[in-house]
Amino acid sequence: MNLKTVEKFLALRGHKKYRLRQIQNLIYKNFISDWNEAAILPKDLKKDLSEKINILSFAVKKLIESKDAKAVKALFELHDKNYIETVLLETSSGNFSICVSTQVGCSVKCPFCATGKLGLKRNLSEEEITDQVLFWNQYIKKEKRKGRVSGVVFMGMGEPFFNYDLTAQSIKKLISPDFFSLASRHISVSTFGYIPGIRKFAKDFPQVNLAISLHAVNNILRNKLVPLNAEFPLEKLSKVLGEYIENTHRKVFIEYVLMKGVNDSKKDAEKLVKWLRKVASAKYFTINIIPYNETVKRFKAPSPDQAKFFESQIQMLGVAATIRKSLGSDIQGACGQLAGKRANKSKKAKKD
Ligand code: SAH
Ligand code: SF4
């Protein structure tokens, strides 16, 4: 929801100014999803709002729950008929983490990623980004689910640092006591390695977690997996990560999508650790090994044993590593599977 629009609306329709604060609390603290739930507002204002102001900036088209009920994916239709997806994930502590999108599609075009296959359609607005978190809070309330939203990861569709300003505005709202009151340290932003974005982020949000999608530590392979590596190669990434750690003293999360026969050997593990140790002391890194979700046929998932083996190699070399449990792969809601069915359909139609 856009509070500026509401403010103007209240003035135009001659409602009291202080209603704005009440509305803000109803939306961001009580998580009402219908104006009729706003018991403290007078009838005429409720009617006015119901007719003219949408609480969410998109329409909910589909909700799919995973078999184990630990993940739910939502498909939203934006005002211009573009589609985005977002996922609610139950965490081990019984709370929820939300994976949000920042763009429709993505211009980085990593060949293994379903979003990358779409190319970039457009950036999401601040409202569209933040409303994904608002929606899941409403959902938890409506469905009477136990637990609360305790974290947000910017790991859905798109490259957050290519939509920096609006992503930053959204993070500010997530942290703000007037809105979601989330702890900075429970928010993570994942980038393919956009150097100017990392620099700016270190200054603007030193307390918010930074995750780097690394996947390979030699330029030949990384150029293939992350095409923009050609422009922002590993040497530059290494330098900026070193600076980041020096300036913020924060850990960096390394995401490593493990693909069978591509980057999953013992040698790959050794080279990865060597590369990280050159950047900074090993204590500054945690490697999230993400077994590939087979969205693009060309790439294959490693066997569970191979993933375990890779993890143990890294740990033996003294770097923290965990295999990311793939929540919700049966709903195509795990990392990298967020593409928006409609967008896929339109692509197919073009081909035919
Ligand atoms: N564009 C940003 C954030 C969105 S992608 C980035 O690349 O970091 C979020 C994560 O999902 C990235 O680490 C990406 O490499 C990973 N990912 C993409 N496709 C995947 C797939 N099919 N299986 C597993 N992980 C995938
Ligand atoms: Fe974009 Fe991230 Fe997918 Fe690469 S992995 S195409 S950067 S969303």
Side-chain angles (χ1 to χ4, degrees), residues 260-327:
K260 188 179 173 179
V262 174
N263 61 356
D264 63 344
S265 71
K266 187 172 175 213
K267 268 245 152 65
D268 290 319
E270 287 166 1
K271 284 184 187 154
L272 170 59
V273 169
K274 204 169 154 199
W275 190 85
L276 291 176
R277 281 183 181 281
K278 264 199 193 154
V279 175
S281 155
K283 68 174 185 202
Y284 285 111
F285 299 104
T286 292
I287 301 178
N288 289 320
I289 299 163
I290 314 172
Y292 185 58
N293 291 309
E294 292 188 1
T295 47
V296 178
K297 285 216 178 76
R298 228 170 89 200
F299 300 94
K300 296 276 171 263
S303 69
D305 280 352
Q306 187 61 24
K308 276 235 162 65
F309 171 77
F310 195 83
E311 179 191 33
S312 66
Q313 288 300 309
I314 288 171
Q315 289 168 340
M316 260 169 24
L317 294 166
V319 177
T322 50
I323 298 175
R324 178 158 327 138
K325 234 177 43 187
S326 177
L327 286 166

Side-chain angles (χ1 to χ4, degrees), residues 156-271:
M157 298 168 73
E159 166 52 45
F161 287 169
F162 281 168
N163 187 11
Y164 189 94
D165 291 344
L166 302 180
T167 298
Q169 283 175 28
S170 174
I171 295 173
K172 282 185 189 149
K173 274 203 178 155
L174 297 184
I175 301 168
S176 164
D178 293 335
F179 292 87
F180 295 93
S181 309
L182 287 174
S184 293
R185 287 177 184 241
H186 292 169
I187 299 172
S188 303
V189 179
S190 175
T191 175
F192 79 91
Y194 181 54
I195 312 276
I198 298 171
R199 286 220 170 94
K200 203 156 190 296
F201 184 72
K203 281 206 194 95
D204 295 346
F205 300 103
Q207 301 298 322
V208 175
N209 299 309
L210 173 68
I212 302 288
S213 294
L214 193 58
H215 318 316
V217 290
N218 78 73
N219 282 321
I220 295 172
L221 178 57
R222 198 163 188 269
N223 282 344
K224 284 185 193 146
L225 298 178
V226 184
L228 278 188
N229 184 69
E231 218 173 303
F232 305 100
L234 285 160
E235 300 71 42
K236 286 193 179 158
L237 184 58
S238 159
K239 188 165 171 270
V240 79
L241 289 182
E243 288 168 13
Y244 175 88
I245 292 166
E246 215 175 290
N247 294 333
T248 63
H249 307 287
R250 294 297 313 276
K251 251 184 155 180
V252 172
F253 294 86
I254 299 295
E255 296 184 89
Y256 194 93
V257 176
L258 200 64
M259 295 171 242
K260 188 179 173 179
V262 174
N263 61 356
D264 63 344
S265 71
K266 187 172 175 213
K267 268 245 152 65
D268 290 319
E270 287 166 1
K271 284 184 187 154

Side-chain angles (χ1 to χ4, degrees), residues 106-110 112-117 156-159 192 213 215 225-226:
C106 180
S107 59
V108 185
K109 296 190 178 170
C110 303
F112 59 86
C113 168
T115 306
K117 291 243 131 192
M157 298 168 73
E159 166 52 45
F192 79 91
S213 294
H215 318 316
L225 298 178
V226 184

Side-chain angles (χ1 to χ4, degrees), residues 39-65:
I40 57 164
L41 298 183
K43 241 190 186 163
D44 63 328
L45 176 54
K46 270 194 292 197
K47 187 166 171 279
D48 246 11
L49 287 165
S50 299
E51 280 166 10
K52 291 278 186 281
I53 304 279
N54 292 327
I55 297 180
L56 293 173
S57 51
F58 39 64
V60 184
K61 282 285 148 175
K62 224 188 220 174
L63 277 172
I64 320 165
E65 201 171 274

